[in-house]
Amino acid sequence: MSAEGTDTSSTDTATVARGTDTGLAETHCEHRAESGAIPRTGDPVTNRWTGVHRALRWWPIALLITLLVAPYSALPVPGLLDGPLGSPGSLQLLALCLLYGGLATGYDLLLGRTGLLSFGHALYFATGLYATDLGMLELRLPFAAAAVFGVSCSVLLALLLGSVSLRVTGIGFSMVTLAFAQAGSILVQRNPGGATGGEEGRSAPADLLPSGLLGIENTANLYWIAVGYLVLTVAAVHWAVKSPIGRVWEGIKENERRVEVLGLRPYGYKLVAFVLAGGLAGLGGVVYLLLTGGATPQAATSDATLALLVMVVLGGSGTRWGPLLGGVLYTWASHRLGDLANSSAVADLPAVLRVPLSQPLFLLGALFVAVVYLLPGGLARLPARIRSARTGRSAPAPAGPGTAHPTGGTPA
Amino acid sequence: MDTVVLLFCTGLGLGALYFLVASGLSLIFGLMDVLNFAHGALLSIGAYATWWAGAEAGLSFWLAVPFGTLVGTAAAVLLELFLIRPLYSRPRDQILATVGVGLAVPALLMGIWGADSRPFPQPELLSGTWHVLGATVPVNRFVLVAAAALLLLALRLFLARTRYGLIVRAGVEDRAMVTALGIDVRKAFTLVFALGGAAAALGGALGGLYFGSVNPGQGTGLLIFAFVVVVMGGMGSVTGAAVASVGVGLVQQFANYYTGAGLGDLSVVVLLAVLLLVRPRGLTGRLA
Amino acid sequence: MPARTTSTPSASSAASAASTSSARSSASSSPVLRLDGLGWAVRGVPIVEDVSFSVGEGEFIAFIGPNGAGKTSLFNLISGIYPATHGSLHLDGADITAETVHARARRGLGRTFQTSSLWPGMTVADHVRLAAQAAAGPGASYRLWRRAERYEQQLADTLERTDLTHRADTLASALSHGEKRKLELAVLLVSEPRLILLDEPMAGVSAEEVPALTELIRSVHRDLGRTVLMVEHHMDVLLGLADRLAVMHHGTLLALDTPEAVMADPIVQQAYLGEAL
Amino acid sequence: MTSSPFSAQRPAPSAHSASSPSSASSPSSAAEPLLSVRDLRVVIDGLHILHGVDFDVAPVGVTALLGRNGAGKTTTVKAVMGLVPRTGSIRLSGSELSSLPTHLVVRHGIGYAPEDRGIFAGLTVAENLRLAERAAGSGSGSGSGGEAGEPNYALVHELFPELKQRAGQLAGTLSGGQQQMVAIGRTLLNRNRLIIADEPTKGLAPKIVAEVAEVLARAAEAVPVLLVEQNLALVRRLAGTCAVLADGRTAHRGDTAELLADEEAARRLLGVGSRHPLAGGPRPAAAPASPAAPVVTAEVKP
Amino acid sequence: GTAGTTAADGGSKGPIKVGLVYSKTGPLAAYGKQYLEGFKAGLSYATKGTGAVDGHKIEFEEQDDAGDPAKAVSAAKDLIGKGYKVLAGSTASGVALQVGPIAAQNKVLFISGPAAADKATGLNKYTFRSGRQSYQDIKTAASFIGDAKGKKVTVLAQDNAFGQANVAAVKALLGAEGATVDQVLAPPSATDLTPFATQAKTAKPDLLFVAWAGDTASALWTALNQQDVFADTKVVTGLDLAASYPLFGPAAEKISFLNHYFDGAAGTPVEKAMTDAVTAAGGKTDIFTPDGFTAAQMIVHAVESNHGSADDTSALVKALEGWSFDGVKGKTTVRAEDHALLQPMFQVRLTGSGAAAKPSVEKTLTADEAAPPVTPMAG
Ligand SMILES: Nc1ncnc2c1ncn2[C@@H]1O[C@H](COP(=O)(O)OP(=O)(O)OP(=O)(O)O)[C@@H](O)[C@H]1O
Ligand SMILES: Nc1ncnc2c1ncn2[C@@H]1O[C@H](COP(=O)(O)OP(=O)(O)OP(=O)(O)O)[C@@H](O)[C@H]1O
Ligand SMILES: [Mg+2]
Ligand SMILES: [Mg+2]
């Protein structure tokens, strides 16, 4: 890709010089439309890895096809799933896994792509969930309209609260988002005007849901919706991240000040990320409503956000597939760890082991600590770490003996 | 009038409870830049240890509280040595690791002692009431206020008078220069964590008095308000945390009572948002 | 060291000289940048004090001064990273004292940082693309979706100019320090700023690479006609480039004059060069 | 170590010895060096700041570390202290320091007065000093001694009576010179084997410069000093040997007096007047032109 | 009665599969444990120790919902997908209200457990309950007041769905009888309840009904005691599981309790059978053991009426609607109209406080006295 550019350099100097006269950067960018010579370099990975890797590049498609046909399969997956792949129970669990994979991917738009540590993402998820449910229950909207209403509510709320909380940065931002989400959670619990049903939640009205989404025999449809949500989220996030805006996000994540010095206002870009992530979470709430048949306040708690955080970190924040992987694994684990916790294998253990092992949340917390500690970068970076360990080049050079430096800082 | 007095006194008590939790949080953040999500867990550990010593092991309340505080301190030291210290160079991972501990510890407590509240030993001396200007105020609120005031005083004395306090104050300003004077800052970190843990555990023990019971989620429940207090007080400032604690406690108590729907929590949230927007560095101006 | 007492006449004479002694560019044009009594204090402690001067179109001013003299702080004030606590700042006649960092950048103020300030996880090409996008304005982020290829030409040219073409797909974190310095310049160039602030562009660059980098900076100044302010400790580099030399000391502008005059100034020698022989 | 109490007062050589600057390999001091630094390299954020610095600190008197602005002097000193990640060898009387964290380096008996003084602005003067106290027991784990006994407040207060008067004042409100006193005072408080002072006269009024010089000279009687300094008059006055850094490398090592006497070498290495002949031509080496001159004449009393 | 004399061929016919979706872990794990113990005892009792009906063995699979409705829904779908026609459990109201509709959509029988939400009554044709509902609690509470006319009743509750429902129910019930009903609502997250205790005291009601759930109960009782609310007001609240008795602190003896059940409350033969079975299994009967027991009774009855088949859910529903039987607490009826479970309730006092607190029945309300009004069946 280097060759094409070479011969045009002299003319370009002139262009640049001409640009100077106009003074403002905006204008001269327009008159360089002439020679769109070099192809967009695209994904850097493709340039580094060729051949086999190019073929392997299609694995997401293969995976998607596998996911799509899963309901037709009676394949037993002992240990992983309680029942054959295509059974309603398995499909329901898989659908939840995929939903959370999508939610985590959306959340990582903030954490891993823009560097925003939000502790209040569950609020937008819960907004989509409750607004859709209430749209049907209270406004008697048909499902599709209620879903649009629900997602719009999340988007608007994200826009409103995002524009406030993004005015502070760092830990302040985390705390404000946490506080807002806490307020939301309290509001839901408080059952204002009987709307949210408080701690009991509200189940979705069966009469307003499409009949194809009701009943156990239609679990596959719900599953496909979850697949659709995941594909949509992943596509939206990947597309956005690859887009020019995504480049700005990456810049903001890595060095916000530097982006500002280029003349871009990070606030707006962060807000876009916040609203997009909020909207995707809201849409996730709609899917969740379908999957669980109702809205319950657990969805709005700060624990729900923490769960997303755990998923993202588990899988690998800022990586392409990590959050998805983390979301799927976490959801699967939190459903199946319960089985482990209740299994007879655990019940027969001495109390020192049995008591902690019978607490799924303990297992999750401990697992999380272990991942943070042992797998910096999450599961998605594991192959790269193994590869670099094998080739002997410990990639992120763990500072040599001379760098022993307890505080990591230098006198300013 | 007596209602206002009552609200004021109990609001102070609530603020004192927040301060007991937030002081350690603030101290740890100030020196180490670690937002300790496991702080609620330390509180719960202190509360359960006190409860265990008092109710199960049959110790008197006056011995149970130091015991609980000691256990909480030990837990904090272990946490610092084994979890935080290896992650010194990875600040965000430190936060995440404490999140994990914050999830695991309450679950463990639940596994051992069940999810239900356990009645907390209440010494006769502290279960009565005092009459203040026509209001009947529970004595333990004053105990909390006194404990918080003592803690504030002790922390200020520690910071002002002791060598380690000196190290902590200097470390907040310039960590590297402290090491350049031949001081092992890591020891100060462990100490600060221990202190924070002790304060949290004491908060847990006295929180048991306040709630009359202990349950696994108690610490985590208080943590969010402690965070709010720390941020409002200006991260790292113990005095700022004290001021913010009192403010939050009073606002919450009055708002809970006087607004029909009980908007106490919401008003605190709004207070935080407004304060951060007006003064992004909190009350005392340290950089958030 | 009587720095403070003597600085006033020295600096003010320099400021008055700015309009006349500005170099090859049209002396008649109004100054690109004008500082009036600019100052910045942290908790009452002055870091930059009462700095006044103006920069003519196409001029090249080099800043020298001991470590901690406030050179970087002055650049931070000019680029808006620090808010001025005193004085005012005009870019092309417009008062920008209260403007944000990005607003100033949109007016054509570009800078590099003393410590390479890049996006370690982004490729070289993406750095340049991002800068091009920024130069095209916020709206370009959206427009670019449709017309991304237009900017590829600009990308190729910039990489060519900074000799980074072969590193286009390398992550910034994997570059050598000299390449990072070049990339900083590339990022700067592609946004085609009107006024360039370079903070120690040679810092950490090995001796072999210094001449090439110097040439690059020279071409930016001479060939592209950019106005440049540069902090540098390498005297040989800046003496070959600068039209005027500014000496910072204790946060004040000790002197601003032709290199020859400045180097001959005993006060400067005293304060900066440690001349005592 | 205190065998040569007046080692700081080497007679300024009057003769122009034609020592070639390239013969930097052998330091002039015959004795075993106290601190010996070899191939010190520092990379910060990918920037190579030191590319291999070699120098020795003589066991007595003052050793100067010279170089133009930005040459890497401060970085070298920070690397010795372990304040920046470093590679290479740093040996203090035979013990290797290059892998030690800062506080252990200090406990080997090094007092450090950083370039920016490293004063804790929010602490009082007394507290700043108190923080620097190293009790005899605190060195446990450092292996070698180098510190014992009570903090020597008497010495500090004798040298800087002002610090006693201003004990309760917040250090941040001190003048630059007073802050410098605190910084140097901190290094004198403990019985150190080496004191590293990074531009201790920077930003000081001439009168104070003279005082600081005197203090350094006195300190050097008891403890060897590694001095980073731009004030060549001061260097000439105090330092027996020196090392000159340029672009993060050692460019010269040798006798200070010889170097400063060699007009051409001094210009080339220290950048003084090399590219721009000074207005009045080269000044006579013996005639100090700076206001810091009183240093030279200040009588240093034992 | 049962027809199953053929214990020998118990395994020869296809088993009846029952899914239990309840809180094995999570905040309500203690209730879940009681429920399960009761269910096992009830199954053994109703099948006369055979564990089979008409030769069809009753097999039950446990699924943990950890109190999370989403998990419960997944578990329910899993079970239904595996062909389960009968579900039971639901320790938490949220779970009952989410699983109920799933059961209806898939036409399986669902017998809700300890979940007290009134909404679960009349939720749909397929949903039943084996425990009491809030309204029955409130009726029991109201029974303390005697003639309500002209009396002043204050409800002290948390401002959440549970509290609001209680306020509404008391208003509907006692308001209609001529009492003036007002409320003191505290935010659910409020930790300092002293001001609300004074508010309740200032209201000077004849009867203070405290509807409280959650971790602040102890703080509330301490506050009420300290503010001396008991001096001139009758205070009524629900008596929860035995572990909670000490939480009332010194106030324990001053409170009038309404109670669903406590160990030894009923004194019926069925209760004895239950207690014996549970004790033999190493458990301890408590407030929600009867809910499990009753659920097992209902399931066995429904299957029995269909000759050992659970395939026709409508027939199961038919069999249960209007069924009256001897339950743990006495005569118990499944009301046909809305599937409310009419059952006796208790007025209880505690003697002693702290760990020594012991409950004793003051008065037993008959099933009819405690019956909730009929709710029209929703769907
Ligand atoms: N944000 C800040 N807060 C407090 N003090 C600051 C801040 N930024 C800079 N300073 C102080 O201001 C002084 C000037 O620093 P500056 O970075 O501008 O110096 P410089 O001339 O660029 O030095 P160098 O050549 O070392 O880069 C220093 O003493 C520094 O410690
Ligand atoms: N943390 C850092 N990051 C990037 N560059 C640095 C850093 N510290 C020092 N430098 C650069 O390394 C070079 C050497 O700096 P150093 O402070 O060691 O010089 P010095 O010889 O002490 O200069 P002076 O005499 O002005 O104090 C300078 O160009 C400086 O800008
Ligand atoms: Mg600088
Ligand atoms: Mg220096």
Side-chain angles (χ1 to χ4, degrees), chain A residues 18-35:
Chain A
R18 229 186 312 140
T20 323
D21 302 333
T22 64
L24 282 171
E26 182 108 42
T27 34
H28 55 72
C29 282
E30 302 305 330
H31 47 84
R32 48 182 63 242
E34 316 88 59
S35 50

Side-chain angles (χ1 to χ4, degrees), chain C residues 71-72 114 199-200:
Chain C
K71 306 179 293 290
T72 301
Q114 184 167 357
D199 196 351
E200 294 201 35

Side-chain angles (χ1 to χ4, degrees), chain D residues 250-266:
Chain D
T250 309
H252 173 88
R253 288 157 67 190
D255 192 87
T256 312
E258 282 175 24
L259 173 67
L260 295 184
D262 182 342
E263 189 81 14
E264 195 275 328

Side-chain angles (χ1 to χ4, degrees), chain A residues 82-83 87-90 92-93 96 186 189-194 197-204 206 209 213-217 219 222 288 290-296 298 334-335 338-339 341-342 358-360, chain E residues 24-26 61-64 66-82 93-95 97-98 101-102 105-106 116-119 123 134 159-165 186-190:
Chain A
D82 190 25
S87 69
S90 301
Q92 170 81 9
L93 177 54
L96 277 175
I186 290 169
Q189 292 273 359
R190 195 147 300 170
N191 193 19
E199 65 275 17
E200 288 162 6
R202 308 269 311 253
S203 59
L209 289 170
L213 300 179
L214 293 172
I216 219 77
E217 63 279 5
T219 310
L222 296 179
Y288 187 80
L290 291 177
L291 283 178
T292 61
T296 45
Q298 280 88 348
S334 77
H335 277 79
D339 290 0
N342 296 324
S358 61
Q359 287 299 325
Chain E
K24 246 181 121 87
T25 61
E61 179 172 331
E62 300 169 41
Q63 296 257 13
D64 183 14
D68 179 0
K71 281 197 176 131
V73 166
S74 294
K77 286 190 175 176
D78 183 28
L79 292 166
I80 296 170
K82 286 179 188 161
S93 289
V95 170
L97 296 178
Q98 303 281 318
I102 302 285
Q105 285 164 25
N106 298 290
D118 287 316
K119 282 189 219 132
L123 185 63
S134 291
D159 196 1
N160 56 18
F162 175 72
Q164 289 157 359
S189 56

Side-chain angles (χ1 to χ4, degrees), chain A residues 412, chain C residues 40 42 47 65-74 82 114 200 233:
Chain C
W40 181 60
V42 180
I47 307 276
N67 287 122
K71 306 179 293 290
T72 301
S73 300
L74 179 65
Y82 293 157
Q114 184 167 357
E200 294 201 35
H233 284 305

